[in-house]
Amino acid sequence: MTDAAIELANVSVRFADMIAVDRLSLSVAQGEIVALVGRTGAGKSTVMNLIMGTLRPNHGSVRVGGHDPANSGEALRGVLGASFQTDRLLPWRRALDNAALGLQILGQSRDQARTTAASWLARLKLVGCDSKYPHELSGGMRQRVSLARALAVDPPILLLDETFSQLDAVTSRALRQDIGALIRDLGKTCLFITHRIEDAVEMADRVVVLAPGARIVMELSPTEMDHSAAHNQIADAMETASGA
Ligand SMILES: Nc1ncnc2c1ncn2[C@@H]1O[C@H](COP(=O)(O)OP(=O)(O)OP(=O)(O)O)[C@@H](O)[C@H]1O
Ligand SMILES: [Mg+2]
């Protein structure tokens, strides 16, 4: 096992005649929170799919905890937790049973899984929602259920793709503050994908700005600088990248 939780080395992905990822090298240390920022089509979700192992690169290597996620057998079982832009809840399952799903997939009994899921719903400030169906919850609440499902399996690595982007500014801010504090407290590694600069600046130890082809145009550490200066630098880099 290497020190890096996630390591992409010289990775390229081609779809038909377009290059979605062009020789990307990126590594995320254990316990680090990294934001990937870039405009639509930059290749962010493609990078997430590579790390999830649902997509294989045409070139280069992807490693999660030292293993190839597309061919890891049981080695990465329970290691990656993911939350997506859409909440991907099952409409016929109540909030509690949606949150319990990951644990049941990993083999826990329904009762055991429900007990753990209930504590995560409470931790994500969803008290009183356990027996509600997704359609009875607001978008922000559904995102919290989706995050509870990801966190309940206690994965050392979390991948969040646009988790907060669909929410209004106030709800999004509250949720990312809660999640940011939680991730840090638990010492998790997190790769966090967003097109919203404020999400990145407030949550990440390191922000990586991607241009189309998932080319890295800038990296900075908001924790080491004034947030409004970080915001401006990222905005400038995104603008330059889109014109390139
Ligand atoms: N399965 C696929 N087949 C063909 N092209 C694809 C596929 N997946 C992604 N692409 C293309 O690859 C490029 C990068 O897509 P990707 O979804 O990674 O972007 P993104 O940065 O996540 O964008 P967004 O912010 O809109 O979610 C886009 O041009 C997209 O059309
Ligand atoms: Mg995307």
Side-chain angles (χ1 to χ4, degrees):
M1 188 125 158
T2 61
D3 277 353
I6 299 169
E7 181 109 59
L8 282 77
N10 208 22
V11 168
S12 295
V13 174
R14 179 185 287 277
F15 294 120
D17 58 354
M18 74 96 55
I19 297 176
V21 178
D22 187 10
R23 289 163 290 169
L24 172 65
S25 293
L26 173 75
S27 118
V28 181
Q30 288 184 32
E32 194 180 21
I33 302 180
V34 174
L36 288 185
V37 182
R39 292 231 174 142
T40 183
K44 305 180 298 294
S45 294
T46 303
V47 171
M48 175 147 161
N49 291 335
L50 287 166
I51 297 166
M52 297 279 295
T54 52
L55 177 72
R56 289 169 193 267
N58 297 100
H59 251 277
S61 86
V62 180
R63 291 289 177 271
V64 175
H67 299 276
D68 174 359
N71 191 19
S72 62
E74 290 290 289
L76 294 179
R77 205 169 146 84
V79 169
L80 284 169
S83 153
F84 304 90
Q85 184 163 8
T86 53
D87 55 59
R88 301 197 189 182
L89 298 179
L90 300 177
W92 60 87
R93 280 193 155 215
R94 297 174 193 274
L96 183 63
D97 292 314
N98 263 297
L101 189 66
L103 291 167
Q104 287 182 271
I105 290 171
L106 287 178
Q108 280 198 10
S109 72
R110 191 168 109 142
D111 284 351
Q112 240 185 334
R114 281 181 147 192
T115 304
T116 308
S119 73
W120 277 103
L121 290 176
R123 235 167 143 169
L124 289 165
K125 302 184 178 163
L126 276 165
V127 179
C129 297
D130 290 15
S131 62
K132 297 217 157 103
Y133 288 97
H135 77 270
E136 299 176 292
L137 300 171
S138 72
M141 290 162 138
R142 287 199 296 269
Q143 283 292 6
R144 285 174 190 261
V145 175
S146 163
L147 278 162
R149 180 172 66 190
L151 286 161
V153 301
D154 197 21
I157 303 174
L158 268 178
L159 302 175
L160 309 179
D161 190 353
E162 305 281 8
T163 305
F164 316 111
S165 309
Q166 304 282 42
L167 308 172
D168 67 77
V170 176
T171 309
S172 161
R173 181 153 217 240
L175 186 56
R176 68 178 183 257
Q177 282 172 347
D178 289 350
I179 297 302
L182 206 62
I183 292 171
R184 276 182 214 286
D185 281 356
L186 298 172
K188 296 202 181 288
T189 303
C190 179
L191 184 68
F192 165 65
I193 293 170
T194 185
H195 63 266
R196 286 224 306 226
I197 298 173
E198 59 268 36
D199 290 0
V201 169
E202 279 182 30
M203 263 187 67
D205 300 319
R206 180 157 58 100
V207 179
V208 177
V209 182
L210 297 181
R215 285 179 297 110
I216 296 177
V217 289
M218 190 177 73
E219 291 192 54
L220 56 78
S221 299
T223 41
E224 290 165 12
M225 61 195 292
D226 178 62
H227 277 188
S228 68
H231 194 288
N232 291 341
Q233 281 190 36
I234 295 166
D236 286 349
M238 281 174 77
E239 204 156 307
T240 310
S242 65

